[in-house]
Each structure stands twice: as structure tokens, then as C-alpha cells.
Amino acid sequence: MSPSRKTINELLTAYPFLSSFLEDNNINYKGNEDKTLREIINLLDKNEQEELAINIQQLEENLESFIEQMSEFLSDDDEEVTSITIFPGTDKSGAPEKYESLELKKGEIVCIVGPTGSGKSRLLGDIEWVAQNDTPTKRRVLVNNSVPDSKWRFSISDKLVAQLSQNMNFVMDLTVEEFVTLHAESRMIEDIEDTVKTIISNANNLAGERFSKDTPITSLSGGQSRALMIADTATLSKSPVILIDEIENAGIDRKRALDLLLAEDKIVLLATHDPTLALLGNRRIVIKNGGIDKIIETSEEEREILAELEVLDKRQMQLRNALRHGEKLQ
Amino acid sequence: MKLVTFSGPPSSGKTSVILKTIESLRHRDVSPAVVKFDCLYTDDDVLYRKAGVPVKKGLSGSLCPDHYFVSNIEAVVDWGLENSYDLLVSESAGLCNRCSPYIKDIKAICVIDNLSGINTPKKIGPMLKTADIVVITKGDIVSQAEREVFASRVQAVNPKAIILNVNGLTGQGCFELSTLLTEESQDVTTLKGKKLRFSMPSALCSYCLGETRIGENYQMGNVRKIDLEKGENSESK
């Protein structure tokens, strides 16, 4: 039977996620759960229907599309993304890129370096759009070594790339707990309460200063916001690739943040010019004039520099904490 | 010539998105033109001209911009045809959330931004709900979580639309949008006989006709009264 002919009760039993659909479409069904969508709309007089700008036919079609999309999103038969392979295209001047192919594997950190405007966004855009020689760079992207499903382009709930960029802020007027709950609901998570707890506690492990679940998200410090965004994205975002655009050093344990993402089997792309971070990756992609100029493997010598930097980093963090707690520096 | 209609709340980023998208189209040798509809004031035509895009503008003044749009779009299309542009973009500001500027069989794009709040998709009528493509802007300044929640709210009110995140400043997503503008849409030769997707907000009361006095005696025509006792209003007693 077509969903449009089911009563609200039957619909909500079969598809619990429809409660958000009904709410977002301003359908007030309270007391009329035994009626179909059309019957409820017909209870409104013409003026009221006009006021709500409802077209019942369109609404029924939307109901069916929504059920279809959500059922697909919730089904577990999606193939897990284990690798993404990028084949060369051209740079801005049309010269071919000088690498054979670039394979990004899950659980890996790859850094992206190059000046602003060099083409980092376009590379990311190519991955997100799973380019098939049809973008300005003419690159080609494979997912799990095969030509990808077009759903990656258009599905809003299955995106290949999640992004944490530098100038991001929280703008909603909610507490930390309300906010993470809202996100979990929109991702149709089953065990919302526990998931929310885990995310908040993970975020607190990353943040220099602790915050409570009742803190309004807009009053979190820069470091706390970053910590919450990373913990939240690690757990709730379904995207297999996470791009992080520079994690500032203040108020967040960056190494732990990356470990958290890697534990969730993400492919982590890190756009950074901070040597401590850049050396955490196994490789770094150098972007120049819109193209990938070269791919550098992190060498043993470079890793030794990392050990040096980590000592400095720790020392700086320690001094920062001492300042925060009103102690004398020594 | 192909015609696409862009619409969206004021300051959602329509002009920036269109400009960046046009840049991509030009790389593909598509010659575009723009018509900008607004209410009281716009200097967006200057921006288009600066980018070398042929542009016309129309200000609706005291009229409903939607009504003004539909009464003029035919003439504008004729202008586009006479000049043999490949793509005519009409850009109009949605002012009252009840706007309904889209035409059947003509590609319709709604631009809204992440900063407008997660309840916004619920508040916007046909302008969002009947669009073919919904472009969500300003994603670079909100968190990944807020982007995902916002997009899922848009999906709930318009599950059939293609939803794209576009950055009007860097142009990220504009190339992708440009490919969607020209594919699968038919050339227009005239708008005669075409229909709107949804009826426009209705009006025509004495105030539309210049009445300024307040009071029952001066209200004529299409007038509707707030019911202070009915529904949720009754709870406030």
C-alpha cells in the first residue's frame, strides 16, 4: 500500500523518522493520528491551506521520496569506503600533474600544503564531487578502486567529505547537550543518550579547559569549540573523509584529536603549515598553481624533527596551563 | 536560450553564487546574462556589469516583488532571445517567505544560508519547497554539525531537490552548480502559456491601493483577521 494511504499512526510505526518530517512540514496531526495525511490537510479550510501554502499532492510525493531516501540512508548494506584514489589531471596552466596516482586509505593522515589559493579547495571539491574528468582539473576519483555511485554527488546524508575549517563557529542558541542531541537525531542514531555522553566526554578529553553539558555552545572558547566539533564529527558524521583546515595550538590536544578521528577509521586530510602537525602524516601533498606538484613521504630525518618539536610543544602547553592557573612560570 | 530562476531571502548570497557560477560557465563557452529583480534598491547590477555580464534590473517599489516578477519575466526573456544569450539567469529576492516565483519546466534554484537558523526551512514556503536545486551558503563559518542539521531540515521539506553546499566567496561548489544549470533543461523560445508552480501570495486590499488610515472602516477587499482565541493563541489566556 502506498504510504500516502496509510494513517499517521501506521506511518509512524513503520517509519519512526517521519515525526521530524511532519514537524518540519508544519503538519499538526495531534488528535488525528487515525487519519491519512490528505484527510488531515482536508480538515483545514481553504484559507488555512493557503496560509500554510500546502499543496497536498506535492506533500504526498515528498512523503514518499523522504521515506525512500531515509530507508536507504538507514540500511546498512552500504559498502564501506576503504580507499579513495585520485588520478592526475592538469594544473591551472593546463600542464599535466606529475604523479601517477594517489591512494588515500582509511585510518591514514595525509597533509596538504601550499599557499592560499593554490588549489586546495579544488582538490577537495574534486573528491567531494567524485570527479570523472569532468571538473576544471580533469582529475578522476575512484572509491574503493571502482567508478563511484552518483549518490556521493547528490545525497545530502551520505557525503564523502566532512570539513572542519578554520573560521568555523557555533551559531545556534543551545547548550552543548541539546546541540549534540539535535545532531544525533538528525543522523537517526539509535542510542542517542549514550552517544551524546560519549561525545561530550571525548571533547573534554581534548579541550584544555573542561566544559559541562549545560554550557551554551556559543560561550565555548575557541579550543573548546574545536574539541567539541572534532569529537562530534568523529562519532556522528558518516563521511569517510575528514578535512581539517589548520588546528590552532591553543586549548586543544591536537594529537589526541587526530587519534580520535583515526580510531573511527576516517581518512584524515590535514591542511596545515604547522610542522608538528604536518609531520604527523605519512605523506604530504604539495599543491602549486592549481595542481598537485609532488607527494612527499615523511622521512626518518623529518620524524626526528618531530620528536624535537613535540618536546617544545609540551613545554609550551605546560607554560600555558601554568599561566591559566595563575602560577609563576619557571 | 535556457532560463533559470534564482530566488532566496535577502543577503543569503544569491549574487555571489551566481557570479561565481557564471565564471565557470564562461570557461565552458556559455554566454550568460542576468536580470535582477528587487524591491526598493539594488546595486548588484553594478557587480554584474563589473564582471562583464549583460544585466537588466527591475525594482518593484511598492508592489509585491513576486507579482512584479511574473508580470515582467516574459519581456525579459524576449530581451535575452533577441541578444542570443545562451543562458538567462533571473535573480529575485524573496521578501515574505511566502514567495512563489518559480515557473513550471523552468529550472528553479533557491539559495538559503546556514546562518539563518535551523527553523528557517520550516518557515519558507513554495520558494524553498518547490525548488529543483537548493543551494546552501555560508557553510564555511558554521560547524560541520550545524551544516548537517540544516541540510537535513531542508531535505525534510523538499526531499526531491538536489541540495548543494556552495561557498559564494571561494566559489567552492559553483563549478558543480554550473553543470546542473545547463543539463536536462530545455531551450525557451517564449514563456507564453507557461504556468507558475504555485499560486503567489494574494493581496489587493485597501492598503494595497494607498490607504494609510488605520481602522475597521477603512479596510476593504482581501482582509484577514487574526484570531486571538483560536488554536495556540487560546492557551495564552
Side-chain angles (χ1 to χ4, degrees):
Chain A
M1 188 168 75
S2 122
S4 308
R5 293 174 56 195
K6 290 188 178 156
T7 66
I8 299 292
N9 261 336
E10 288 167 338
L11 283 173
L12 287 175
T13 312
Y15 315 106
F17 54 77
L18 281 180
S19 62
S20 72
F21 174 87
L22 293 168
E23 194 189 315
D24 286 342
N25 281 285
N26 295 318
I27 308 298
N28 183 5
Y29 57 87
K30 291 271 145 30
N32 288 309
E33 286 88 346
D34 57 335
K35 295 192 169 60
T36 66
L37 195 55
R38 185 177 284 262
E39 284 164 349
I40 287 174
I41 300 301
N42 283 338
L43 290 176
L44 303 169
D45 65 37
K46 246 197 138 136
N47 270 344
E48 287 169 316
Q49 286 190 29
E50 160 60 34
E51 220 164 302
L52 290 167
I54 289 178
N55 175 333
I56 179 63
Q57 204 173 335
Q58 188 202 336
L59 195 61
E60 284 177 344
E61 284 172 23
N62 284 354
L63 176 80
E64 290 179 25
S65 312
F66 190 76
I67 291 174
E68 214 171 281
Q69 289 168 6
M70 280 299 136
S71 307
E72 195 178 309
F73 173 64
L74 290 171
S75 75
D76 282 331
D77 51 7
D78 278 353
E79 195 190 353
E80 193 198 0
V81 175
T82 55
S83 75
I84 286 178
T85 316
I86 305 163
F87 292 96
T90 58
D91 69 9
K92 270 181 204 156
S93 62
E97 292 177 305
K98 292 169 273 179
Y99 67 98
E100 262 172 45
S101 75
L102 170 62
E103 192 183 23
L104 310 170
K105 291 201 204 85
K106 69 173 189 181
E108 186 185 22
I109 302 175
V110 177
C111 295
I112 305 177
V113 297
T116 310
S118 57
K120 284 183 273 190
S121 299
R122 188 61 255 164
L123 173 64
L124 199 72
D126 284 347
I127 299 176
E128 200 162 32
W129 194 244
V130 285
Q132 297 300 314
N133 310 112
D134 58 353
T135 64
T137 58
K138 303 275 188 295
R139 289 193 187 109
R140 188 155 168 256
V141 174
L142 298 185
V143 175
N144 294 344
N145 282 316
S146 46
V147 178
D149 194 317
S150 70
K151 77 161 185 185
W152 293 114
R153 283 193 176 181
F154 299 122
S155 163
I156 202 67
S157 25
D158 281 324
K159 285 240 161 274
L160 266 181
V161 185
Q163 243 184 101
L164 295 167
S165 48
Q166 209 170 10
N167 46 0
M168 269 183 188
N169 274 301
F170 290 116
V171 293
M172 283 182 195
D173 209 359
L174 296 173
T175 66
V176 168
E177 186 180 37
E178 287 167 341
F179 175 76
V180 182
T181 306
L182 184 74
H183 189 203
E185 281 169 357
S186 85
R187 304 303 289 171
M188 312 278 163
I189 301 288
E190 269 172 31
D191 191 358
I192 291 187
E193 213 173 303
D194 277 350
T195 311
V196 171
K197 265 193 204 139
T198 312
I199 291 172
I200 297 176
S201 112
N202 282 346
N204 268 312
N205 283 336
L206 306 180
E209 263 178 301
R210 298 189 66 81
F211 56 89
S212 87
K213 63 183 173 52
D214 300 317
T215 313
I217 46 173
T218 45
S219 58
L220 295 174
S221 74
Q224 289 171 329
S225 299
R226 264 332 187 83
L228 182 60
M229 278 179 203
I230 289 173
D232 169 275
T233 303
T235 310
L236 287 178
S237 187
K238 233 181 144 189
S239 308
V241 182
I242 302 229
L243 172 94
I244 306 181
D245 200 352
E246 205 75 77
I247 319 181
E248 55 284 83
N249 205 353
I252 178 165
D253 188 329
R254 302 185 292 180
K255 185 127 194 339
R256 270 200 202 160
L258 292 173
D259 286 344
L260 181 64
L261 293 168
L262 295 180
E264 296 293 331
D265 269 339
K266 306 281 186 190
I267 297 171
V268 179
L269 294 178
L270 199 54
T272 185
H273 294 141
D274 181 319
T276 319
L277 282 177
L279 292 175
L280 287 175
N282 302 327
R283 287 177 289 172
R284 52 186 193 273
I285 304 170
V286 182
I287 304 205
K288 214 161 135 189
N289 193 29
I292 294 179
D293 185 49
K294 52 188 164 192
I295 298 162
I296 302 177
E297 301 272 336
T298 310
S299 66
E300 277 314 308
E301 287 87 3
E302 284 184 324
R303 281 195 206 282
E304 277 166 33
I305 301 177
L306 179 61
E308 213 176 295
L309 286 169
E310 273 172 350
V311 174
L312 285 176
D313 227 21
K314 220 173 235 160
R315 173 77 178 140
Q316 183 144 28
M317 187 103 92
Q318 186 197 349
L319 291 173
R320 189 186 293 275
N321 272 330
L323 267 183
R324 181 177 292 137
H325 294 115
E327 292 158 21
K328 279 204 150 181
L329 302 187
Q330 43 189 306
Chain B
M1 183 183 75
K2 296 186 197 300
L3 172 66
V4 293
T5 54
F6 272 77
S7 208
S11 303
S12 56
K14 296 179 292 297
T15 306
S16 303
V17 169
I18 296 171
L19 277 167
K20 293 280 181 195
T21 308
I22 280 177
E23 228 176 274
S24 293
L25 285 167
R26 284 185 161 159
H27 286 299
R28 293 167 36 214
D29 291 326
V30 175
S31 84
V34 174
V35 55
K36 166 89 190 188
F37 289 102
D38 218 317
C39 195
L40 293 177
Y41 174 80
T42 183
D43 51 10
D44 288 343
D45 52 322
V46 180
L47 295 174
Y48 287 117
R49 222 162 268 136
K50 218 168 121 188
V53 182
V55 59
K56 294 281 175 197
K57 78 169 164 181
L59 295 176
S60 67
S62 61
L63 295 179
C64 162
D66 252 17
H67 291 226
Y68 180 77
F69 161 84
V70 75
S71 328
N72 287 291
I73 188 68
E74 203 187 341
V76 172
V77 165
D78 289 342
W79 164 73
L81 287 167
E82 273 162 34
N83 289 283
S84 321
Y85 301 125
D86 298 324
L87 179 77
L88 178 63
V89 177
S90 106
E91 178 193 343
S92 56
L95 297 179
C96 73
N97 286 350
R98 171 57 182 83
C99 310
S100 170
Y102 306 134
I103 302 164
K104 279 181 190 161
D105 307 322
I106 302 290
K107 198 155 274 182
I109 296 112
C110 178
V111 181
I112 50 173
D113 72 274
N114 274 301
L115 288 182
S116 62
I118 48 163
N119 286 322
T120 297
K122 217 172 166 173
K123 294 181 198 161
I124 302 180
M127 178 165 77
L128 175 63
K129 292 177 184 166
T130 64
D132 300 310
I133 301 172
V134 179
V135 168
I136 305 178
T137 57
K138 303 184 192 171
D140 56 328
I141 38 185
V142 304
S143 62
Q144 173 71 19
E146 281 162 291
R147 269 200 307 270
E148 287 179 10
V149 172
F150 194 83
S152 77
R153 295 281 168 100
V154 170
Q155 190 189 15
V157 298
N158 190 349
K160 286 186 175 159
I162 292 175
I163 302 172
L164 285 182
N165 280 294
V166 172
N167 183 332
L169 295 179
T170 63
Q172 196 177 339
C174 286
F175 164 78
E176 289 77 1
L177 177 61
S178 80
T179 62
L180 299 177
L181 290 191
T182 44
E183 75 183 17
E184 283 173 44
S185 62
Q186 288 179 352
D187 286 322
V188 238
T189 46
T190 174
L191 286 185
K192 223 170 234 118
K194 290 226 185 279
K195 282 194 163 166
L196 288 170
R197 297 190 183 191
F198 204 93
S199 66
M200 287 188 158
S202 57
L204 217 67
C205 66
S206 41
Y207 296 104
C208 301
L209 300 169
E211 179 61 74
T212 54
R213 291 167 297 180
I214 297 169
E216 198 82 45
N217 288 340
Y218 311 111
Q219 299 166 0
M220 279 178 293
N222 198 350
V223 177
R224 193 178 301 159
K225 295 295 185 181
I226 180 171
D227 191 338
L228 294 172
E229 303 301 324
K230 198 181 156 193
E232 281 164 14
N233 272 338
S234 64
E235 291 159 23
S236 59
K237 269 190 288 190

